[in-house]
Amino acid sequence: MPKVVTTKEDAREALLQAGASISAAVAILAPHMPLFDQFEAEERDMENFGHIIDPTLYRSSERRAAAALMSPIFKAARAFVNALETQSANAREALEKVRA
């Protein structure tokens, strides 16, 4: 648990640690982005065509429970990674303008 920020140096260290934690989280999540996309596509397809193609699977309570649990988590993970990538690109662009 981070310590209470009381000095300028504490604040600097806390911000560096927070940034490192965010970077680590993205490094862990980023390789799974294709899985998140595939899960969303398959969930969408199941809702659109599942009742025709495989009614038994469509009605499966286990499938519905897994989708209800994982879909919001995967969407949040994707949004987190995308937000960091977008913000990093914006920061690089701003730094390039300042240096020019």
Side-chain angles (χ1 to χ4, degrees):
M1 178 165 207
K3 65 181 180 176
V4 176
V5 176
T6 57
T7 67
K8 187 176 179 179
E9 186 55 38
D10 287 345
R12 181 179 183 284
E13 185 61 29
L15 289 172
L16 288 173
Q17 288 179 3
S21 295
I22 290 170
S23 294
V26 168
I28 291 167
L29 292 172
H32 302 287
M33 293 290 278
L35 173 66
F36 301 156
D37 294 337
Q38 182 181 357
F39 185 90
E40 182 180 18
E42 289 181 10
E43 180 185 21
R44 185 178 50 248
D45 290 348
M46 181 56 74
E47 288 304 315
N48 291 328
F49 310 111
H51 62 286
I52 298 167
I53 296 171
D54 192 344
T56 303
L57 180 59
Y58 177 76
R59 288 189 295 264
S60 167
S61 61
E62 185 176 320
R63 182 199 62 81
R64 289 181 176 272
L69 176 67
M70 298 311 296
S71 183
I73 294 170
F74 286 171
K75 285 177 184 176
R78 186 184 318 102
F80 176 69
V81 171
N82 288 341
L84 184 77
E85 289 174 349
T86 299
Q87 200 56 30
S88 294
N90 292 342
R92 279 190 299 276
E93 186 178 304
L95 283 173
E96 289 172 8
K97 286 180 181 179
V98 169
R99 291 178 180 157

